[in-house]
Amino acid sequence: MEYEIIDIIKDLEKFSPRNNEESLNKTSNYIKENLQKAGIDFLDQYFYVPIPYDEGSYIILDNGGKIIGKANSFVSGSFEEKNIYSSQNIKQEINIPHINYNQYYDAFSGVIFYDFPVINIKKSDLIKVVNSQKIEVYVNVKKTLIKTENILVGNVKNPKNIIFTHFDTIFNGALDNSSGTATLLYGIINNKVNIKENLIVFSGCEELSYDKPYYWGYGYRFFEYQYKEILEKSVKIIVYDMFGHSEPILTKEYIKEAFPIMSEYLYDKSIQITESNKDWIKFYHSEADTIDKININYIKEALDLLLKNL
């Protein structure tokens, strides 16, 4: 591939938000077309999965004004309580319908999705909500069945290592996870990743599903269901997800969150390549996860780190 990694990231971001069947198809076709151009074989692992689709969520103010928001929930509903929280506090446990917003950027965000009505608004609209004596919040979500896939590249019989990455997003996804997708695609096509020894899984459903107990990671579990034997026989399982804004690291700290599979004994040999600091939370799962957050030197370091661990 003549493109540099940053060029592939830019191409992938043209399909964002990659949270619906049309944009996911465009993304998977882009990946497969570039593999085909390079003469590299792949397998399609298609599946159907229900995801939440925002059909138009909003807040009505006491002056009749209307604020457009985005659903951060799997269900529809309405409420009038003025419960307001930060959308970027990933450890926050909230159990009531509420409004959230990104306090760092004037952008829609969706860090956590809930089983009760939640709406996200832009930071610039917060003052309107605060100053309104009365509000009416309407969250409109449709449970939508889509067809997507995992794209398998490399050794599917007895891979030494299995590398997982995902190409779906909540909103934009330069770091989460065009970074991992683009870097692996570049590495495969330019013969830097040994696909005779290893298997790469590009997943089209890591972010959202109605699956329980984890709504994220569905595509990884679907792969696990069909290919559990090669997961068990592999030497390493590497989750390649979200880097480029700071120095990449190899870590097990968040492996259960990054790779929510059913066979927990596989965590003994699972590792993640990701960001080294927590600054990413400011634009995580947000429209602010854009190309300007990427430092190409960190992207190259992430590729070097992967190759050293294969």
Side-chain angles (χ1 to χ4, degrees), residues 234-252:
S234 65
V235 176
K236 290 181 185 177
I237 299 169
I238 302 173
V239 182
Y240 205 53
D241 188 356
M242 202 175 70
F243 48 80
H245 189 62
S246 62
E247 184 180 357
I249 57 169
L250 195 70
T251 179
K252 292 179 74 73

Side-chain angles (χ1 to χ4, degrees), residues 77-108:
S78 62
F79 58 94
E80 298 180 357
E81 295 79 14
K82 201 183 294 186
N83 302 315
I84 302 172
Y85 296 91
S86 163
S87 63
Q88 304 310 112
N89 188 348
I90 198 166
K91 294 183 179 180
Q92 191 167 198
E93 294 184 1
I94 309 169
N95 57 11
I96 56 174
H98 63 271
I99 301 164
N100 62 40
Y101 74 102
N102 186 327
Q103 71 268 40
Y104 303 104
Y105 294 95
D106 191 31
F108 288 123

Side-chain angles (χ1 to χ4, degrees), residues 136-188:
E136 298 175 10
V137 181
Y138 297 93
V139 180
N140 297 305
V141 177
K142 182 179 180 180
K143 185 176 182 179
T144 305
L145 188 68
I146 67 166
K147 181 181 180 181
T148 185
E149 66 176 304
N150 293 328
I151 304 168
L152 315 184
V153 184
N155 187 335
V156 295
K157 293 183 178 180
N158 56 348
K160 176 183 176 184
N161 305 300
I162 305 176
I163 306 108
F164 287 87
T165 197
H166 71 91
F167 56 86
D168 59 324
T169 69
I170 299 292
F171 289 105
N172 294 337
L175 269 81
D176 187 22
N177 182 36
S178 290
S179 61
T181 301
T183 306
L184 274 175
L185 183 59
Y186 175 88
I188 293 167

Side-chain angles (χ1 to χ4, degrees), residues 36-306:
Q36 288 171 333
K37 289 177 184 176
I40 296 171
D41 293 330
F42 56 85
L43 291 177
D44 297 295
Q45 188 189 26
Y46 290 108
F47 54 90
Y48 288 90
V49 57
I51 64 171
Y53 179 75
D54 184 354
E55 291 199 306
S57 299
Y58 56 92
I59 300 173
I60 299 297
L61 306 175
D62 58 4
N63 63 4
K66 183 177 183 180
I67 294 174
I68 301 300
K70 297 292 183 181
N72 278 182
S73 59
F74 293 101
V75 298
S76 300
S78 62
F79 58 94
E80 298 180 357
E81 295 79 14
K82 201 183 294 186
N83 302 315
I84 302 172
Y85 296 91
S86 163
S87 63
Q88 304 310 112
N89 188 348
I90 198 166
K91 294 183 179 180
Q92 191 167 198
E93 294 184 1
I94 309 169
N95 57 11
I96 56 174
H98 63 271
I99 301 164
N100 62 40
Y101 74 102
N102 186 327
Q103 71 268 40
Y104 303 104
Y105 294 95
D106 191 31
F108 288 123
S109 299
V111 173
I112 298 173
F113 276 64
Y114 300 86
D115 289 322
F116 44 82
V118 176
I119 192 170
N120 177 263
I121 62 172
K122 289 190 174 182
K123 183 180 179 181
S124 57
D125 285 326
L126 179 62
I127 190 64
K128 301 174 187 176
V129 173
V130 172
N131 288 338
S132 183
Q133 293 296 316
K134 180 182 177 182
I135 62 169
E136 298 175 10
V137 181
Y138 297 93
V139 180
N140 297 305
V141 177
K142 182 179 180 180
K143 185 176 182 179
T144 305
L145 188 68
I146 67 166
K147 181 181 180 181
T148 185
E149 66 176 304
N150 293 328
I151 304 168
L152 315 184
V153 184
N155 187 335
V156 295
K157 293 183 178 180
N158 56 348
K160 176 183 176 184
N161 305 300
I162 305 176
I163 306 108
F164 287 87
T165 197
H166 71 91
F167 56 86
D168 59 324
T169 69
I170 299 292
F171 289 105
N172 294 337
L175 269 81
D176 187 22
N177 182 36
S178 290
S179 61
T181 301
T183 306
L184 274 175
L185 183 59
Y186 175 88
I188 293 167
I189 290 174
N190 289 281
N191 299 311
K192 296 180 181 294
V193 177
N194 186 337
I195 59 175
K196 291 184 179 180
E197 280 192 354
N198 303 295
L199 174 63
I200 296 87
V201 180
F202 295 93
S203 182
C205 185
E206 189 270 351
E207 298 288 11
L208 294 174
S209 76
Y210 280 82
D211 209 20
K212 300 287 186 179
Y214 309 106
Y215 66 74
W216 64 98
Y218 182 85
Y220 295 164
R221 292 191 294 278
F222 191 84
F223 175 89
E224 176 192 15
Y225 177 78
Q226 185 171 348
Y227 292 98
K228 185 177 179 180
E229 184 176 353
I230 64 171
L231 282 167
E232 293 174 335
K233 292 180 179 179
S234 65
V235 176
K236 290 181 185 177
I237 299 169
I238 302 173
V239 182
Y240 205 53
D241 188 356
M242 202 175 70
F243 48 80
H245 189 62
S246 62
E247 184 180 357
I249 57 169
L250 195 70
T251 179
K252 292 179 74 73
E253 184 176 2
Y254 303 108
I255 192 61
K256 290 186 178 181
E257 290 82 5
F259 192 52
I261 53 173
M262 303 307 294
S263 308
E264 293 195 3
Y265 58 88
L266 293 174
Y267 288 136
D268 290 341
K269 58 181 174 182
S270 299
I271 201 80
Q272 182 185 12
I273 294 177
T274 187
E275 287 279 287
S276 59
N277 66 32
K278 304 298 187 294
D279 193 53
W280 52 265
I281 193 60
K282 295 179 179 180
F283 48 84
Y284 181 62
H285 285 185
S286 167
E287 290 181 330
D289 185 0
T290 47
I291 197 76
D292 59 293
K293 309 297 190 304
I294 295 283
N295 182 320
I296 191 60
N297 292 323
Y298 293 138
I299 293 287
K300 292 177 180 178
E301 288 179 19
L303 179 56
D304 291 340
L305 186 58
L306 174 67

